[in-house]
Amino acid sequence: MKILVCVKQVPDTETKIKIGADKKSIDTSDINWILNPYDEYAVEEAIQIKEEKEGTTVTVISVGPERSVSAIRNAIAMGADEAVLIKTEDIYLDSFTVAKALADVIKDLEYDLIFFGKQAVDDDNLQVGPMVAELLNLPCVSPIADLKLENGSVTVKREIEGGTEVIEASLPAVISADKGLNEPRYPALRGIMMAKRKPIDEKQVDMETAKIEIVQMAYPQSREGGKIVGEGVDAVPELVRLLREEAKVV
Amino acid sequence: MSKPVYVITEQRNGAFRKVSFEVVSEARRLADELGTSVVAILLGSGVSGIGEELGQYGADKVLVADNEIFENYSAEGYTKTILETIKNVDPEIVLLPASILGKDLAPRLAANLAVGLASDCVKLSIESGKLEAQRPMYAGKVIADYHFNSSPQLASLRPNIFPVLEPDSSKKAEVENVSVPVTKSDLKAIVKELLASEGGKIDISEADIIVSGGRGMKGAENFKILEELADLLGGAVGASRSAVDSDWRAHADQVGQTGKTVAPDLYIACGISGAIQHLAGMSSSKCIVAINKDPDAPIFQKADYGIVGDLFDVVPKLTEELKKIVE
Ligand SMILES: Cc1cc2nc3c(=O)[nH]c(=O)nc-3n(C[C@H](O)[C@H](O)[C@H](O)COP(=O)(O)OP(=O)(O)OC[C@H]3O[C@@H](n4cnc5c(N)ncnc54)[C@H](O)[C@@H]3O)c2cc1C
Ligand SMILES: Nc1ncnc2c1ncn2[C@@H]1O[C@H](COP(=O)(O)O)[C@@H](O)[C@H]1O
């Protein structure tokens, strides 16, 4: 089998996010970059399939600036075999532009399965996976927390409001990984050393112009009038009064 | 006059989901500002009869794709049908709910139309005749405003944020059937089965009141006190990721970046510290109550009302006090 995994480098979720001087982008100077946490589930799933099915190769693909190499190396250290970086300038890229670049490169590759993360935790868009699937005219299930491969098809579980859908899709297919799909492994030291030496295939594609752009960024407003009602059980009657008379929610 | 504002609605088992009324109401508001009409699209099996109801919330026209192929949701079937329906109109604005269905459908429409998509928006406005979409990024650490360089301008709306218009029963929408350009054999991904949720009785994404527990609950059995409070208020029980990872609650009940985004009228966080990824899922709730024994817990910064104390004392007392007014 040939498996592709699309991965993105994102700021560590613990990183403090500072809005840049242009008020349209973030200040990236102090950011600790990591492999997008959902993409770890995607990489892990691909590697587990590889461990089960002999002759499987796992290729990671990322669209981004030079620094994205560290996220790619992280995926290789987990067990991916090959890597492609579609190199861009260090600017905010909208989902369609990214999806188009990925589809342009992927259409010339061999694949049975293409994995994505459910969402990139920077823009929280939940878009790129289904977009690539449509551009390549492939079936897609997003997001999923359980996967079984059979001959020529894949059966997955997708959580919806109040239930779970069991979906069968023919291969090749696009799958977005949700939390709960697996437990991503920590790369072993040997993997980390090997990942450093692995050549990364750098590609350049003609990027589309942005279809949507950020015109302004701001910090969320903190809640006004938030207050500590009191301590312990003694504060409960006052809380109930406030919920009833002030907030009018009970 | 500009072109109508289009909305994609969502129904389950022949009944509209509340978020459909939210999206139609917001479309009405935008359409009034633009001086135009609202056209809603409804897909399902045996749903022609319910279309008219959308008129009460401001839809002028409802296009219904009624076909047994839509017994269950089909991403491919929905995408093709919607594209076919709007092909000749070339609308300027298309709105969808950012429900699980909408989150799957919206990027597919965007890719086929080669346009940008603003997902999970919390505010929409019209600036010089164009849509401006506001949405959180970086787990809510930043709020960004987006403009579109492509048309139609496609936006999905976070559930429970946009107010529903007071239904006006004198208003009826014109209902028109549209054709479905797909058959079952065209579909490459098919829903084989729908399993009932392992989570609570009321799904948290639908609940008006949520009582959530975190690591401070100390064990699965202790969630009983939250269930009692939720039952009394007709609400649902949610959980932090720590509680879910400890197997105290089902993943379907998880609130936050990796779980569900909720915006109920009342969110009561019990023994939850308020990590950014948890806040990402609940900070748009209308009223937030925090019960935590640590006065420095970050959840208090987001809460409208906080009680510093042991939840094992405070929660039962709260249930007891509320019983007096509810009963
Ligand atoms: C990529 C990523 C995604 C994530 N997604 C999510 C997500 O979707 N949802 C989510 O919730 N988290 C998520 N997390 C985890 C998040 O960072 C926190 O670890 C988690 O929310 C903490 O859960 P908690 O508040 O229950 O536990 P803790 O942080 O351990 O807090 C427990 C709280 O309980 C209080 N407490 C203890 N005993 C009592 C008592 N008897 N009475 C009153 N108070 C008491 C303590 O003072 C403390 O504040 C994510 C993390 C990452 C890295
Ligand atoms: N720049 C990128 N390069 C490669 N894959 C990406 C990129 N951006 C997003 N993805 C993939 O698409 C998923 C969803 O991202 P998003 O739509 O941005 O939330 C991510 O989890 C990745 O798998």
Side-chain angles (χ1 to χ4, degrees):
Chain A
M1 275 194 104
K2 299 249 183 288
I3 304 179
L4 309 179
V5 189
C6 296
V7 300
K8 186 178 191 185
Q9 186 192 44
V10 297
D12 186 340
T13 49
E14 303 302 321
T15 298
K16 193 170 151 49
I17 297 292
K18 274 193 299 204
I19 295 173
D22 66 356
K23 296 266 192 325
K24 292 181 189 184
S25 59
I26 60 160
D27 177 351
T28 53
S29 53
D30 288 330
I31 284 181
N32 179 30
W33 298 98
I34 58 165
L35 171 61
N36 180 35
Y38 291 100
D39 301 351
E40 288 184 10
Y41 298 113
V43 174
E44 176 65 35
E45 196 64 19
I47 291 164
Q48 287 188 10
I49 294 172
K50 173 180 141 177
E51 286 167 348
E52 250 169 56
K53 282 200 182 340
E54 221 171 298
T56 299
T57 57
V58 176
T59 304
V60 290
I61 310 179
S62 191
V63 181
E66 183 66 42
R67 61 170 155 74
S68 312
V69 163
S70 74
I72 291 178
R73 295 221 188 275
N74 202 322
I76 300 173
M78 286 173 74
D81 304 291
E82 311 281 337
V84 179
L85 171 63
I86 304 171
K87 212 161 136 184
T88 66
E89 285 172 66
D90 196 355
I91 50 165
Y92 176 78
L93 297 168
D94 70 305
S95 302
F96 183 79
T97 307
V98 171
K100 191 76 179 29
L102 285 169
D104 280 350
V105 168
I106 291 173
K107 72 175 180 349
D108 298 326
L109 302 176
E110 276 181 68
Y111 53 82
D112 301 288
L113 272 171
I114 312 177
F115 280 107
F116 287 83
K118 162 175 106 159
Q119 85 197 70
V121 301
D122 50 0
D123 53 32
D124 294 326
N125 272 339
L126 297 105
Q127 295 181 9
V128 176
M131 279 184 171
V132 170
E134 288 294 328
L135 293 173
L136 295 171
N137 197 18
L138 296 173
C140 164
V141 192
S142 165
I144 62 126
D146 188 73
L147 178 147
K148 269 189 209 71
L149 268 178
E150 274 133 290
N151 284 338
S153 77
V154 60
T155 303
V156 295
K157 284 191 184 151
R158 173 171 184 268
E159 230 177 62
I160 61 167
E161 298 93 346
T164 303
E165 293 173 339
V166 181
I167 303 177
E168 194 184 290
S170 56
L171 296 185
V174 170
I175 301 290
S176 298
D178 203 347
K179 175 197 170 243
L181 183 58
N182 52 46
E183 268 312 316
R185 68 193 67 193
Y186 287 106
L189 191 60
R190 205 177 78 94
I192 296 171
M193 298 311 289
M194 263 175 36
K196 282 195 182 136
R197 292 197 303 269
K198 197 84 169 191
I200 292 172
D201 181 9
E202 282 192 13
K203 284 196 178 359
Q204 229 131 45
V205 301
D206 290 331
M207 302 293 280
E208 296 257 335
T209 50
K211 303 289 182 198
I212 183 169
E213 63 183 317
I214 297 170
V215 289
Q216 195 187 323
M217 274 186 176
Y219 298 108
Q221 283 179 335
S222 55
R223 280 194 179 241
E224 277 163 38
K227 61 179 163 206
I228 301 282
V229 178
E231 282 185 29
V233 287
D234 296 343
V236 172
E238 174 62 2
L239 173 65
V240 171
R241 189 191 68 78
L242 288 166
L243 289 176
R244 197 166 184 207
E245 292 170 17
E246 199 176 79
K248 301 193 170 66
V249 285
V250 291
Chain B
M1 197 172 98
S2 40
K3 290 178 185 161
V5 176
Y6 274 71
V7 287
I8 317 289
T9 58
E10 179 176 353
Q11 56 78 30
R12 183 107 31 98
N13 302 323
F16 283 109
R17 298 197 59 228
K18 179 170 160 254
V19 68
S20 297
F21 303 137
E22 295 166 11
V23 183
V24 172
S25 297
E26 182 63 10
R28 180 75 261 160
R29 203 183 63 75
L30 297 176
D32 285 345
E33 218 168 307
L34 291 164
T36 186
S37 59
V38 173
V39 178
I41 299 178
L42 162 65
L43 305 96
S45 174
V47 293
S48 296
I50 65 169
E52 208 180 61
E53 190 185 354
L54 292 174
Q56 301 181 22
Y57 300 91
D60 298 292
K61 192 174 188 176
V62 183
L63 303 177
V64 188
D66 195 338
N67 192 300
E68 58 188 22
I69 195 177
F70 296 142
E71 184 76 48
N72 286 316
Y73 169 62
S74 155
E76 294 159 81
Y78 271 48
T79 303
K80 289 211 174 74
T81 305
I82 293 166
L83 289 172
E84 188 65 26
T85 306
I86 63 171
K87 197 172 69 184
N88 296 323
V89 227
D90 191 19
E92 285 161 18
I93 296 178
V94 180
L95 306 181
L96 302 86
S99 56
I100 292 185
L101 179 148
K103 282 174 176 166
D104 183 41
L105 191 56
R108 294 168 187 264
L109 296 174
N112 281 287
L113 296 162
V115 300
L117 161 67
S119 42
D120 215 14
C121 296
V122 294
K123 195 178 154 200
L124 298 177
S125 48
I126 302 289
E127 298 287 335
S128 328
K130 300 261 283 173
L131 191 63
E132 180 169 288
Q134 189 170 82
R135 58 182 301 273
M137 296 176 79
Y138 301 96
K141 291 180 204 173
V142 167
I143 307 285
D145 292 333
Y146 285 75
H147 282 184
F148 293 81
N149 303 325
S150 52
S151 179
Q153 305 166 89
L154 198 60
S156 66
L157 280 59
R158 180 176 285 195
N160 290 323
I161 298 281
F162 293 86
V164 175
L165 290 176
E166 199 57 51
D168 178 349
S169 55
S170 68
K171 289 203 180 135
K172 297 256 183 301
E174 180 194 335
V175 178
E176 190 183 309
N177 281 305
V178 296
S179 63
V180 174
V182 269
T183 59
K184 216 158 204 158
S185 58
D186 296 332
L187 306 180
K188 285 172 283 194
I190 293 167
V191 177
K192 291 277 167 188
E193 209 182 336
L194 198 58
L195 310 172
S197 169
E198 299 161 14
K201 282 168 279 183
I202 305 178
D203 191 80
I204 54 167
S205 55
E206 327 244 273
D208 292 328
I209 293 181
I210 297 174
V211 184
S212 259
R215 199 193 301 277
M217 295 305 297
K218 304 212 164 57
E221 63 288 357
N222 298 328
F223 274 79
K224 212 174 82 219
I225 59 171
L226 303 190
E227 270 155 17
E228 279 164 11
L229 177 54
D231 283 347
L232 177 72
L233 298 170
V237 174
S240 75
R241 173 158 165 182
S242 300
V244 172
D245 285 352
S246 309
D247 278 336
W248 300 343
R249 303 300 288 183
H251 182 242
D253 297 338
Q254 184 177 318
V255 174
Q257 194 181 53
T258 348
K260 287 179 179 148
T261 306
V262 297
D265 295 334
L266 174 61
Y267 188 90
I268 307 178
C270 310
I272 292 177
S273 62
I276 185 78
Q277 298 88 358
H278 189 80
L279 299 178
M282 46 64 80
S283 59
S284 4
S285 306
K286 269 131 244 155
C287 178
I288 297 173
V289 172
I291 300 166
N292 197 302
K293 65 179 181 189
D294 173 9
D296 296 323
I299 189 79
F300 285 124
Q301 246 111 67
K302 285 282 167 192
D304 299 283
Y305 308 115
I307 290 185
V308 180
D310 190 326
L311 72 92
F312 294 104
D313 302 330
V314 175
V315 173
K317 176 74 179 169
L318 182 57
T319 309
E320 185 191 314
E321 287 292 315
L322 283 168
K323 245 185 205 147
K324 291 183 198 160
I325 53 170
V326 173
E327 278 165 11

